[in-house]
């Protein structure tokens, strides 16, 4: 549903304020760098949110598991490649061959973080609880032996001097569409962003993917001031994507949204 671009246009940010001194700029950059370092160093972001380890709805049950791009098993990497192709080839059209090469590099990068969506037979779940009862660590079920139904690929980056969680991909199999799973995953992503003290969640959506655009709009995401259509409409009209964002504090709002200097509302995590 969402995919990040290697080249994203920048904007200068709005508002009239006192220019920061060189020392203040260096202190701020150091603080942002440290936030990103800590977020990337976190082994398992999902561990902080036990209520999100399992999703159930009308007899449908799935489990979530964390992953790192450079530690994905070969079968998982192949699954991700195949699901990306199945979901996105039509959306990208003639651009897909070059985009596929980029995505294959991105998916295994050390900084890539994953939430894997897994489904298990009741016997597999029972085995996990037996291990827990015997004292064997099994905080939440791994995807080994289960069936993958989708994934989220995200990273911690800096946009417009704001630390953000960037959703590179949210991909689900068609069989699990319409079950509220996408909303559940984005709620988790926003919690991870807030826990990591990020100023916003950002993502990129192809203009032709109208369903994805409507989905994110309904969740409160808006077109970012860094999106091509906002930086330069004459250039943006020829771009195939929009950059969306959801901000959590006033500075991020003013730098990443199309912001009125007279009306800034903070959203607190």
């Amino acid at each position: 549903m969402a995919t990040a671009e290697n080249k994203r246009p920048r904007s200068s940010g709005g508002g009239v304020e006192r220019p920061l001194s060189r020392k203040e700029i260096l202190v701020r950059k150091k603080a942002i760098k440290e936030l990103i370092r800590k977020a990337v160093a976190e082994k398992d972001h999902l561990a902080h949110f036990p209520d999100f380890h399992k999703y159930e709805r009308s007899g449908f049950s799935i489990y979530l598991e964390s992953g790192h791009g450079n530690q994905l098993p070969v079968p998982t990497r192949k699954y991700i490649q195949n699901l990306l192709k199945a979901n996105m080839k039509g959306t990208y059209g003639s651009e897909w061959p070059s985009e596929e090469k980029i995505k294959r590099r991105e998916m295994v990068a050390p900084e890539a973080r994953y939430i894997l969506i897994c489904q298990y037979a009741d016997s597999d779940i029972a085995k996990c609880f037996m291990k827990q009862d015997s004292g064997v660590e099994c905080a939440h079920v791994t995807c080994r032996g289960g069936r993958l139904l989708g994934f989220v690929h995200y990273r911690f980056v800096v946009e417009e001097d704001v630390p953000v969680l960037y959703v590179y991909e949210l991909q689900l199999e068609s069989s699990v569409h319409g079950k509220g799973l996408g909303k559940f995953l984005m709620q988790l992503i926003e919690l991870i962003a807030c826990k990591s003290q990020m100023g916003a969640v950002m993502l990129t959506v192809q203009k032709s993917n109208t369903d994805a655009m409507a989905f994110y709009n309904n969740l409160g995401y808006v077109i970012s001031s860094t999106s091509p259509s906002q930086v330069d409409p004459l250039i943006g009209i020829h771009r195939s994507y929009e950059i969306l964002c959801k901000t959590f504090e006033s500075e991020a709002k003013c730098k990443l949204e199309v912001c009125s200097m007279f009306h800034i509302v903070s959203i607190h995590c």
Side-chain angles (χ1 to χ4, degrees), residues 1-5 88 92 103 167-169 203-206:
M1 297 175 76
T3 176
E5 303 289 336
M88 302 305 295
Y92 277 98
K103 291 178 184 299
V167 178
Y168 272 57
E169 305 285 350
L203 50 92
T204 305
V205 179
Q206 294 296 114

Side-chain angles (χ1 to χ4, degrees), residues 16-40:
V16 178
E17 56 184 30
R18 176 184 67 82
L20 296 176
S21 68
R22 177 176 173 79
K23 182 178 180 180
E24 289 172 325
I25 291 173
L26 292 175
V27 168
R28 173 167 175 74
K29 285 186 175 182
K30 184 177 180 181
I32 292 173
K33 184 177 180 180
E34 180 62 14
L35 283 177
I36 297 295
R37 186 196 68 78
K38 286 183 177 180
V40 172

Side-chain angles (χ1 to χ4, degrees), residues 140-176:
H140 41 95
V141 186
T142 69
C143 279
R144 286 173 292 183
R147 178 193 172 196
L148 282 165
L149 295 175
F151 67 92
V152 184
H153 167 193
Y154 64 98
R155 301 189 189 191
F156 298 96
V157 300
V158 179
E159 294 286 338
E160 298 299 309
D161 294 325
V162 176
V164 306
L165 187 158
Y166 210 110
V167 178
Y168 272 57
E169 305 285 350
L170 194 169
Q171 301 291 345
L172 299 174
E173 293 191 11
S174 58
S175 62
V176 297

Side-chain angles (χ1 to χ4, degrees), residues 28 31-42 45 154-159 161-167 188-202 221 246-253 256 267-269:
R28 173 167 175 74
I32 292 173
K33 184 177 180 180
E34 180 62 14
L35 283 177
I36 297 295
R37 186 196 68 78
K38 286 183 177 180
V40 172
E42 183 75 41
H45 294 99
Y154 64 98
R155 301 189 189 191
F156 298 96
V157 300
V158 179
E159 294 286 338
D161 294 325
V162 176
V164 306
L165 187 158
Y166 210 110
V167 178
L188 173 59
I189 283 292
E190 291 168 16
L191 288 171
I192 292 173
C194 287
K195 174 71 174 177
S196 304
Q197 299 182 60
M198 299 293 107
V201 171
M202 299 185 72
Y221 286 78
K246 187 173 187 178
T247 57
F248 305 125
E249 44 92 7
S250 59
E251 183 175 3
K253 184 179 181 70
L256 298 176
I267 304 175
H268 299 288
C269 294

Side-chain angles (χ1 to χ4, degrees), residues 13-17 250 253-254 257-265:
V16 178
E17 56 184 30
S250 59
K253 184 179 181 70
C254 200
E257 293 186 20
V258 181
C259 178
S260 169
M261 61 184 292
F262 299 110
H263 182 63
I264 300 175
V265 179

Side-chain angles (χ1 to χ4, degrees), residues 24 30 36 79-80 83 118 123 135 159 171 175 216 225 252:
E24 289 172 325
K30 184 177 180 181
I36 297 295
Y79 171 85
I80 289 173
L83 185 59
C118 315
S123 58
E159 294 286 338
Q171 301 291 345
S175 62
Y216 290 113
S225 59

Side-chain angles (χ1 to χ4, degrees), residues 71-88:
Q71 298 174 11
L72 295 174
V74 172
T76 303
R77 294 203 302 267
K78 289 183 177 179
Y79 171 85
I80 289 173
Q81 291 171 2
N82 291 336
L83 185 59
L84 275 169
K85 185 174 183 178
N87 285 357
M88 302 305 295

Side-chain angles (χ1 to χ4, degrees), residues 26 56 62 68 100 111 125 129 143 161 171 181 186 189 201 221 244 252 268:
L26 292 175
E56 290 184 290
I62 58 93
H68 291 200
E100 185 177 27
E111 61 270 25
I125 303 303
F129 284 115
C143 279
D161 294 325
Q171 301 291 345
L181 184 54
M186 288 307 297
I189 283 292
V201 171
Y221 286 78
L244 307 185
H268 299 288

